[in-house]
Amino acid sequence: MKTTIKIRTKCMVLFLILATTHLVSAQMASKSYLFEEHIDQKNTTHELHINDGYLVHTVYEKSPARFIMTRGGFVKVEGNHLIVDLEFNSNYENDQLKTLQIPFEQKEDALVLELKSSATFKPIAPLTQALDGKWLFATRGPDTGQERRGEENPRKTLKLLMNGRFQWIAYHTDSMKFFGTGGGSFSSKNGHYTENIDFFSKDDSRVGATLKFDYELKGSDWHHTGNNSKGEPMYEIWAKR
């Protein structure tokens, strides 16, 4: 009898340890969210994406267009906090932040984050399209076996596409230097890729523009061709991250 009780006790302790470990290392479900706030007679949009353990949070105004900030990196859950190991932070020169600890709560389908104040992020309707996922800029095309900018290179340009939204971010992981970002809505189907720009850190006047490209998937590479925002021909190769 005593042996049975000891075995049951050990099993219960092991179960509690495993359960606690799971909670500490839990990963947020991949989703996109929006939060709109009214500040000083202006409407400010917070766009939040969580994609396979990676978080991107961007803030901008739509009318008149004004980029405010973006930051992102690898995210995990510890208790009731989101812990974000930042890869980029557009405000790094001012706040020197490389890590975020954000208290959070999930209320039904909403995600409540304690930022400067409580912010309730509502989910964007799921939408699956070709090219969804995280991509890193690899090289200019065509592919002739040239050297690529890989994961080990601290100079990165990341492009995230999910739920009909896109964003690219250029940054340096060692120095935390931020080079620029842009994003909005996108569509990708049958080799045609279209971007509608909602924010652009380098030039707010680009907001509202629509850019059309062609794409081709070759293995884990995305071959991206067309004209850039300046009307110049381009050929980029992006590698799936």
Side-chain angles (χ1 to χ4, degrees), residues 1-105:
M1 184 66 178
K2 289 183 178 179
T3 302
T4 302
I5 292 174
K6 286 182 179 179
I7 292 173
R8 287 178 178 175
T9 301
K10 288 181 179 179
C11 288
M12 181 60 70
V13 170
L14 179 60
F15 171 78
L16 290 173
I17 291 172
L18 291 173
T20 303
T21 302
H22 173 73
L23 287 173
V24 169
S25 61
Q27 182 170 298
M28 296 289 291
S30 294
K31 285 186 179 182
S32 299
Y33 300 87
L34 285 178
F35 166 61
E36 304 278 352
E37 63 178 338
H38 190 70
I39 301 175
D40 297 331
Q41 299 183 341
K42 293 181 179 180
N43 291 320
T44 302
T45 298
H46 291 248
E47 193 164 324
L48 181 72
H49 301 284
I50 299 173
N51 182 280
D52 292 334
Y54 200 91
L55 178 148
V56 178
H57 176 209
T58 304
V59 186
Y60 57 95
E61 294 171 0
K62 293 180 179 179
S63 182
R66 185 172 78 93
F67 170 78
I68 298 174
M69 77 92 187
T70 189
R71 57 191 181 187
F74 301 97
V75 62
K76 61 183 178 181
V77 177
E78 290 188 0
N80 65 338
H81 284 73
L82 297 181
I83 309 300
V84 188
D85 182 13
L86 292 174
E87 274 202 315
F88 61 89
N89 175 4
S90 64
N91 199 38
Y92 180 76
E93 289 187 2
N94 296 320
D95 61 28
Q96 300 293 298
L97 289 177
K98 290 186 177 181
T99 303
L100 301 177
Q101 298 187 35
I102 308 171
F104 83 100
E105 181 181 1

Side-chain angles (χ1 to χ4, degrees), residues 15-16 37 69 82 84 112 117 137 153 169 173 202 238:
F15 171 78
L16 290 173
E37 63 178 338
M69 77 92 187
L82 297 181
V84 188
V112 182
S117 59
F137 176 79
N153 193 317
I169 314 102
T173 55
K202 294 183 178 181
W238 296 75

Side-chain angles (χ1 to χ4, degrees), residues 54 63 103 134 157 189 201 215:
Y54 200 91
S63 182
K134 297 187 294 295
T157 301
K189 187 177 181 181
S201 65
Y215 75 87

Side-chain angles (χ1 to χ4, degrees), residues 221-233:
D221 287 346
W222 162 17
H223 289 246
H224 180 62
T225 57
N227 293 324
N228 62 21
S229 58
K230 296 179 181 179
E232 301 167 342

Side-chain angles (χ1 to χ4, degrees), residues 112-125:
V112 182
L113 302 183
E114 297 300 328
L115 303 172
K116 291 181 179 179
S117 59
S118 183
T120 301
F121 287 77
K122 299 294 183 64
I124 296 175

Side-chain angles (χ1 to χ4, degrees), residues 175-191:
S175 66
M176 293 297 287
K177 184 174 177 59
F178 172 76
F179 299 104
T181 189
S185 62
F186 84 97
S187 64
S188 55
K189 187 177 181 181
N190 298 328

